[in-house]
Amino acid sequence: MRIRSRLMKKWSNQYYRLLYVYVYQITSSSSLAEEITKETLLRAYERSDKLKGEPETGNWMIRTARYLILKEVYSSWERGEDIHEKYDLPDIVDPSAMKSIIEQYEENE
């Protein structure tokens, strides 16, 4: 367990800023960037035995962050929430494209 704890600390130090900036650049929402970054790192920790190392781990984290962004925005849209107001997102969201990407990601997991 100690090895996994060190691994999580290493990944947090190595990827937190990268993930946060990536999500923030897409969403322009600091609260969503924080939420998605933490969730991505948690999912990586849960899969640590399956992630092989660099660059696979970094690539996996970026793909997962992108999936989580789309899933959150799409889920909000499905619930009838005003996602632009909730996350201060630009008005360029295509729900059908998001759904397609989410489904492809989930099939490959």
Side-chain angles (χ1 to χ4, degrees), residues 47-99:
R47 286 184 61 111
S48 62
D49 57 328
K50 295 179 179 134
L51 296 172
K52 306 267 190 266
E54 293 302 325
E56 181 183 317
T57 300
N59 292 336
W60 182 88
M61 285 192 194
I62 292 294
R63 283 192 317 272
T64 299
R66 182 174 52 235
Y67 160 76
L68 291 170
I69 293 165
L70 292 171
K71 187 169 183 180
E72 175 58 28
V73 172
Y74 184 77
S75 296
S76 294
W77 177 81
E78 274 194 319
R79 291 187 299 267
E81 298 171 352
D82 183 347
I83 56 174
H84 306 294
E85 183 178 308
K86 182 177 180 178
Y87 295 117
D88 194 29
L89 296 175
D91 194 17
I92 56 170
V93 177
D94 178 0
S96 60
M98 286 190 298
K99 184 176 182 181

